[in-house]
């Protein structure tokens, strides 16, 4: 057997082991636009409870119209990175709008939020510095931190005493600059970071505070501006990263918002920004339209909050254990990975599209169905979904 053949046999063995453990992730093909209802490639229409389409804007007529108009006026793509010939007036407009919306001086666009986090830490922090990260931070934050040379601390999830310990150790170790970085909302649990307490701790130790707002921008807080607005520290978070690919239209693209000098250094040295094509004009134009909608009315945020409160109460009454909270991420705890897969499969047969999450996405023994509510859902959708969960749970012995 040659080295090449041995390598591919090794990969086949790895895939077989994943399958045998019941951990294979399967992609279901949709044949419709994203929405509260979608149709799968088998022709079945189902209620969609697993998209990041929090405000229902992925197929909103005003957003789609803005994308069409931008295609007409600014073309399909730039075939370039930003600093060569890939910056249009729309990109500068969206960056200014995002900075204003998020309460910062400036913002910079990336091809994805993963790139925004991946390209953040290395340009800003060196060997003399320290970065302190929540234990449950998103993979993109973890990978971004790995790329920088700063000394690293990790504190127990949402544990302010442990964060204080890490800050004290970093300072005692002579760190020049210290950055604490956390998800604003944690994607698997719906936990909302205690940014007010984190800000106080950072101030006490002279540290910077940064957050990833992918599951918050557009709908968390009174004006939908994010976790920092909800926690009363709007304008007092030093670095905000986020996405255009969830509540803000659902296409793709990410951003970092911060003080002007932070953003300018990222423009000079952040590798995903320097070496990736510009965000497509249609996405940029549609994202500007999204901000117009959000700044003009709070109706979608209000409907999302109502849907979330109803579903959380109803699914708990149906006998399921859920992670507590008020966020539209509702983790329905199953425990066993295979049971989560079976529950998701049975729900699909009953017309409800959800996905089971299990190790390594979540810790061993904490498999779950992660439901995500949307302003696009009607009350009848949610009532039908709860009834299906109750039926499937009884059939599978889960409730």
């Amino acid at each position: 057997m040659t080295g090449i053949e041995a390598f591919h046999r090794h990969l086949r063995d790895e895939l077989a082991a994943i399958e045998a453990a019941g951990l294979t992730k399967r992609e279901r093909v949709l044949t419709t636009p994203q929405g509260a209802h979608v149709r799968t490639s088998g022709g079945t229409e189902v209620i969609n409870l697993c998209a990041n389409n929090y405000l229902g804007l992925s197929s909103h007529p005003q957003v789609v119209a803005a994308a069409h108009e931008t295609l007409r006026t600014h073309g399909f793509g730039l075939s370039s990175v930003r600093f060569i010939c890939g910056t249009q007036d729309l990109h500068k407009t969206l960056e200014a709008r995002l900075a204003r919306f998020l309460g910062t001086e400036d913002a910079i666009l990336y091809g994805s939020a993963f790139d925004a986090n991946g390209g953040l830490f290395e340009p800003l922090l060196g060997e003399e510095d320290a970065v302190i990260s929540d234990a449950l931070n998103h993979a993109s934050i973890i990978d971004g931190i790995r790329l920088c040379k700063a000394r690293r601390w990790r504190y127990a999830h949402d544990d302010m005493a442990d964060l204080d310990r890490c800050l004290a150790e970093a300072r005692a170790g002579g760190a020049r600059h210290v950055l604490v970085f956390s998800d604003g909302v944690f994607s698997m649990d719906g936990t909302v970071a205690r940014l007010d307490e984190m800000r106080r701790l950072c101030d006490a130790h002279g540290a910077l505070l940064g957050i990833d707002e992918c599951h918050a921008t557009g709908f968390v807080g009174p004006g939908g501006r994010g976790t920092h607005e909800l926690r009363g520290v709007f304008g007092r978070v030093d670095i905000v990263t986020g996405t255009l690919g969830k509540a803000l239209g659902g296409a793709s693209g990410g951003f970092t918002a911060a003080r002007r000098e932070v953003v300018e250094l990222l423009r000079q040295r952040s590798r995903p920004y320097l070496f990736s094509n510009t965000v497509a004009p249609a996405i940029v134009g549609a994202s500007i339209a999204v901000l117009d909608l959000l700044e003009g009315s709070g109706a979608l945020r209000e409907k999302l909050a109502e849907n979330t409160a109803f579903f959380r109460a109803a699914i708990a009454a149906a006998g399921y254990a859920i992670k507590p909270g008020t966020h539209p991420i509702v983790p329905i705890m199953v425990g066993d990975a295979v049971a989560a897969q079976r529950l998701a499969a049975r729900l699909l047969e009953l017309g409800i599209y959800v996905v089971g999450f299990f190790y390594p996405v979540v810790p061993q023994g904490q498999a779950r169905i992660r439901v995500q509510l949307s302003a696009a859902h009607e009350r009848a959708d949610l009532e039908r979904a709860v009834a299906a969960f109750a039926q499937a749970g009884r059939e599978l012995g889960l409730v």
Side-chain angles (χ1 to χ4, degrees):
M1 181 183 297
T2 68
I4 294 173
E5 291 170 341
F7 171 72
H8 287 95
R9 179 174 180 175
H10 165 71
L11 297 186
R12 289 193 295 272
D13 290 343
E14 288 288 306
L15 290 168
I18 293 171
E19 179 71 28
L23 302 179
T24 300
K25 300 171 185 64
R26 307 188 189 282
E27 297 178 357
R28 296 193 177 106
V29 178
L30 308 182
T31 60
T32 60
Q34 185 63 269
H37 296 248
V38 293
R39 186 173 294 110
T40 65
S41 56
T44 303
E45 184 174 294
V46 293
I47 296 172
N48 185 4
L49 289 178
C50 58
N52 299 310
N53 188 23
Y54 294 112
L55 295 172
L57 296 177
S58 296
S59 301
H60 190 283
Q62 193 169 324
V63 177
V64 173
H68 278 292
E69 177 62 12
T70 309
L71 278 170
R72 186 186 69 80
T73 60
H74 287 71
F76 177 65
L78 274 298
S79 304
S80 179
V81 299
R82 286 285 297 271
F83 78 95
I84 299 178
C85 61
T87 300
Q88 292 179 321
D89 53 347
L90 286 175
H91 295 94
K92 302 306 290 184
T93 297
L94 178 56
E95 286 170 339
R97 290 287 301 276
L98 284 168
R100 186 180 77 189
F101 188 74
L102 297 168
T104 64
E105 290 182 354
D106 202 356
I108 176 174
L109 294 173
Y110 286 86
S112 69
F114 206 104
D115 279 348
N117 286 331
L120 175 68
F121 302 94
E122 188 271 336
L124 300 179
L125 302 174
E127 294 177 353
E128 312 94 324
D129 304 318
V131 60
I132 303 173
S133 176
D134 188 289
L136 293 188
N137 273 347
H138 190 266
S140 60
I141 300 171
I142 295 169
D143 285 0
I145 290 173
R146 285 173 176 163
L147 293 172
C148 80
K149 295 180 180 179
R151 287 171 286 172
R152 305 164 197 169
W153 274 262
R154 186 173 71 167
Y155 62 96
H157 174 55
D158 199 35
D159 187 328
M160 296 299 100
D162 202 35
L163 173 57
D164 189 36
R165 173 191 63 82
C166 292
L167 282 161
E169 288 182 5
R171 281 302 181 204
R176 179 184 60 174
H177 307 304
V178 179
L179 170 63
V180 174
F181 206 90
S182 172
D183 280 315
V185 172
F186 291 83
S187 61
M188 285 297 119
D189 292 345
T191 307
V192 181
R194 291 182 277 169
L195 295 183
D196 48 348
E197 298 179 46
M198 295 172 70
R199 181 73 271 175
R200 285 195 293 272
L201 287 173
C202 287
D203 289 345
H205 292 276
L208 300 156
L209 177 60
I211 54 172
D212 177 318
E213 286 286 81
C214 284
H215 291 275
T217 303
F219 62 96
V220 170
R225 298 174 191 275
T227 310
H228 50 333
E229 182 185 39
L230 177 69
R231 295 302 196 197
V233 291
F234 186 77
R236 296 175 54 210
V237 172
D238 300 290
I239 299 172
V240 179
T241 65
T243 185
L244 306 175
K246 292 183 171 61
L248 301 185
S252 61
F255 57 81
T256 297
R259 286 268 291 268
R260 190 160 287 111
E261 55 266 33
V262 171
V263 171
E264 186 54 35
L265 189 61
L266 293 176
R267 292 193 195 281
Q268 302 304 313
R269 294 184 178 172
S270 182
R271 292 166 74 87
Y273 178 81
L274 293 171
F275 297 102
S276 297
N277 257 20
T278 305
V279 180
I283 294 174
V284 176
S287 299
I288 293 170
V290 166
L291 291 175
D292 289 339
L293 283 166
L294 297 186
E295 292 178 334
S297 169
L300 293 175
R301 292 192 298 275
E302 292 167 6
K303 186 177 179 185
L304 176 60
E306 292 170 0
N307 284 349
T308 300
F310 171 80
F311 184 84
R312 279 181 168 273
I315 202 70
Y320 283 96
I322 64 173
K323 292 273 188 175
T326 59
H327 194 274
I329 292 173
V330 185
I332 299 173
M333 305 306 293
V334 178
D336 178 68
V338 174
Q341 295 269 62
R342 289 174 177 165
L343 177 58
R346 179 59 180 134
L347 285 166
L348 187 64
E349 294 172 349
L350 296 173
I352 309 300
Y353 182 21
V354 294
V355 172
F357 288 86
F358 39 83
Y359 183 82
V361 179
V362 297
Q364 290 275 17
Q366 295 187 30
R368 68 199 65 184
I369 300 292
R370 183 183 69 175
V371 166
Q372 291 166 279
L373 285 309
S374 171
H377 291 127
E378 300 299 336
R379 180 60 61 87
D381 296 326
L382 303 183
E383 290 172 345
R384 180 181 161 196
V386 171
F389 264 99
Q391 178 182 337
R394 289 192 300 269
E395 292 173 354
L396 298 172
L398 298 174
V399 295

